[in-house]
Every structure is written in C-alpha cells, then in structure tokens.
Amino acid sequence: MSRTNVEVDDLVAAARGGSPRAVARLISLVEDASPRLREVMSALRPHVGHAHVIGLTGAPGVGKSTTTNALVRELRAAGKRVGVLAVDPSSPFSGGALLGDRIRMSDHATDAGVYIRSMASRGHLGGLAWSTPQAIRVLDGAGFDVVLVETVGVGQSEVEIAGLADTTLVLLAPGMGDGIQAAKAGILEIGDVYVVNKADRDGAAKVRRELRSMLTLAARPEGAWRPPVVAIAAQSHTDLDKLTAAIEEHRAWLDDSGTLRQRRIRRAREEVEAIAVAALRSRWEPQGGGRLDELAAAVAAGESDPYAAADALLG
Ligand code: GDP
C-alpha cells in the first residue's frame, strides 16, 4: 500500500472517529479537486448511505441561517450528529459564503457533534455541481446522521443543488414578495416540506394560506408525497419540533415508497456525470482552455464547423 493510501485511510478513520480537523481536510481535498479524491472516495465507500441529506433553500433574508441554527439545535437534542454545508451556486468565486461562518460563530462552535462548512468551488471542474455531492459523501461517510445543505438563490442557478437532497425544505417568509414570488421561482415543484418562517410577523398566515392553495392546485400523481406547510419562528425556536416531525414523516415516506433509492440513484448519476465531464474537460484544458479558444475562434471565423471542432477537441 502506498504512503498516500495509508494517509487517506488514517484521515477517513479520524473523520469517522469524530475529528473535525480530519473532516475539514477531506472537504478541502474536494474543494481543491485533489487527485487523492479517488482514494478518499474508495475509502469512504463502505461507510456511505446512512445520512439523511436535507436541502434547505429560499431567498436571501428569509431566515435560512437562523433556521439551520435552530434545526441543528433540535437535531442535536435528539442525539444526532449533524453536518452543514453552506453553498452559494450563484457566486462560485466568492471564496465561501458568509452563511456558514455566521452559524459557526454561534451556538454550535464547541460541539463536536456539529460540523459546519461553507463551500466554494474555486472556479474549476464544473464548480459546485462537481464538489457538493462529493462533500455530502464525505460527511455521510464520516458518520453524520444528517447532512444539511443550504443553498442561496432558488431557480437562479444552473446548479440545482436542491435536486441532490433526500428531503428539500423551501423557506418563505412574510414581506418578501410571498406567493407570487414563489410561483415565479418554480419552487412549487422542488419542495418536500414548505416552511413559512417568521410566523411571529404579520402576514405569515396569509403566506401560509396562499402557499397551501397553490400546492393544492398543483397536479400530483396518485400516491405522490403531498408537501406539508409548516409555520415556524426560527429566531425564537418556536415550533421547530413540528418541522423535524414533518422531515421525519417525509423520510419515512421516502423509505416506504422506494423514492429514497430513486433519489440516491439520481444523486449518484449527477456525481458520475460531473466527474466524467471533468475528466473529459481536463483532456483539453490542462493549462486553461487554450485549445478550445483556438477552435472556437476558427468556428467563429467560419474556418471550421462546431462538429469538426468538437472532434478535434476530443481527438
Ligand atoms: P438568510 O439570509 O435566509 O440566511 O436569513 P437570516 O437567517 O440571516 O435571517 C434574516 C433576518 O431575519 C435576520 O435579521 C433574522 O434575525 C431574521 N429572522 C430570522 N428568523 C426570524 C423569525 O422567526 N422571526 C423574525 N421576526 N425574524 C427572523
């Protein structure tokens, strides 16, 4: 066994043993698109598939950070180890969203049962579409019972990270454009549980009503999951138990209906595809895309056609 292999095995063992440093190092390998990831994923393989992956999304200001914090508290009280990934697919070059940092500073800073990380793509290899599922895999393999993936900016990105979750929570709040905004962003299709946050504020009941009636109108096949609407006030930790109950109910439905398996196949498909596409791209982009630029210039100048250029790129 090579030295690298031994190191990776040690790192995985340490992560599974609860070392936040080891988890951090493994996720950094993902962010850096390290060549060692091949070994990491192989070492993690026997340990993955246990975590419940929960996606959490909604417009900025709706209370994602506050809700995550409250949800982590609730899950910790139930004895679960929780990993949180904060990703911002709309600004992959930001070098880490503020969200995770804000949570990190708060209640859970000294709790070894919670690991919180902001994800940056560092602008390569298909960005967060490539790195997020692998980071989820790291946390799953490290033994976290729940992996919360927070995303910013529903429907604005080509990266639908919501599609990676077993259970997707969509957050709304009063005073934010409400129902009409919701319909526009296409969120009626992606939520498994709808959360109306800031229930302490005027207008929350109206958001809830509008959302309920829109969800009722949406056509769903027989036996399909009917997404509940749960009202909470994350800031005062009000009704978080109702939210965890709705999440548990969805999880049970996923198991019973066979949907969990389908969703995990879908997630694995994304992973395999992203890795394969990155491998292809690395054939022509070892130094930053010069060959593609050259071929594109030839196509634009009418000296080549796109099929011939693509053949040349892959050849
Ligand atoms: P994010 O941008 O979606 O992560 O939203 P934040 O969690 O940062 O919350 C945005 C603002 O809403 C902050 O000022 C929070 O204090 C506030 N907020 C969050 N939850 C509640 C709540 O339940 N009630 C009220 N009134 N305000 C809240």
Side-chain angles (χ1 to χ4, degrees):
M1 199 184 270
S2 76
R3 183 174 150 67
T4 318
N5 247 327
V6 173
E7 280 177 11
V8 163
D9 287 346
D10 286 349
L11 212 48
V12 167
R16 288 186 55 74
S19 157
R21 266 197 68 202
V23 175
R25 282 190 59 196
L26 289 171
I27 295 188
S28 292
L29 294 177
V30 171
E31 277 192 324
D32 296 341
S34 163
R36 292 168 69 194
L37 278 179
R38 187 177 282 270
E39 294 155 45
V40 171
M41 294 305 159
S42 162
L44 286 171
R45 190 193 49 77
H47 309 298
V48 296
H50 303 293
H52 184 186
V53 180
I54 301 174
L56 196 147
T57 191
V62 79
K64 289 182 297 299
S65 171
T66 314
T67 301
T68 298
N69 216 358
L71 206 48
V72 168
R73 199 173 119 191
E74 196 73 14
L75 292 165
R76 286 302 290 145
K80 302 204 164 145
R81 285 182 71 203
V82 189
V84 179
L85 290 174
V87 297
D88 182 354
S90 57
S91 60
F93 305 106
S94 68
L98 288 170
L99 188 62
D101 299 327
R102 283 210 308 267
I103 306 165
R104 198 185 351 253
M105 304 286 285
S106 66
D107 308 357
H108 317 291
T110 56
D111 182 352
V114 181
Y115 178 82
I116 295 163
R117 173 75 169 242
S118 296
M119 285 283 291
S121 73
R122 306 207 177 139
H124 51 208
L125 291 176
L128 290 163
W130 183 88
S131 56
T132 306
Q134 298 199 55
I136 293 172
R137 190 170 279 275
V138 166
L139 294 175
D140 182 6
F144 288 96
D145 302 300
V146 176
V147 177
L148 278 172
V149 185
E150 299 196 20
T151 59
V152 179
V154 186
Q156 291 166 4
S157 165
E158 79 263 53
V159 189
E160 273 302 351
I161 286 169
L164 298 173
D166 300 323
T167 300
T168 298
L169 313 183
V170 174
L171 261 70
L172 291 106
M176 301 200 57
D178 306 335
I180 301 136
Q181 198 75 34
K184 244 193 235 161
I187 64 158
L188 291 176
E189 285 90 57
I190 66 165
D192 298 307
V193 175
Y194 288 86
V195 182
V196 177
N197 186 35
K198 309 192 189 184
D200 54 310
R201 283 212 184 149
D202 285 347
K206 183 164 169 273
V207 175
R208 217 167 136 186
R209 248 188 342 264
E210 281 185 6
L211 192 56
R212 280 225 171 96
S213 69
M214 276 194 288
L215 288 168
T216 310
L217 291 174
R220 288 181 205 281
E222 189 72 20
W225 172 253
R226 306 198 84 80
V229 178
V230 182
I232 63 166
Q235 203 165 39
S236 53
H237 208 90
T238 306
D239 288 337
L240 262 292
D241 55 335
K242 290 192 180 137
L243 179 54
T244 48
I247 292 169
E248 278 308 311
E249 212 173 300
H250 183 250
R251 171 66 209 239
W253 176 83
L254 285 172
D255 278 329
D256 295 346
S257 64
T259 311
L260 187 66
R261 191 169 158 267
Q262 285 168 21
R263 290 202 177 185
R264 293 198 167 171
I265 290 172
R266 186 175 71 187
R267 187 157 81 227
R269 196 177 182 284
E270 302 270 338
E271 282 186 273
V272 174
E273 193 177 15
I275 291 167
V277 168
L280 263 183
R281 190 172 286 149
S282 70
R283 276 209 221 160
W284 72 73
E285 263 188 348
Q287 275 99 35
R291 180 78 178 125
L292 178 55
D293 290 343
E294 233 170 73
L295 288 161
V299 171
E303 293 156 10
S304 180
D305 70 79
Y307 282 87
D311 285 345
L313 195 60
L314 296 174

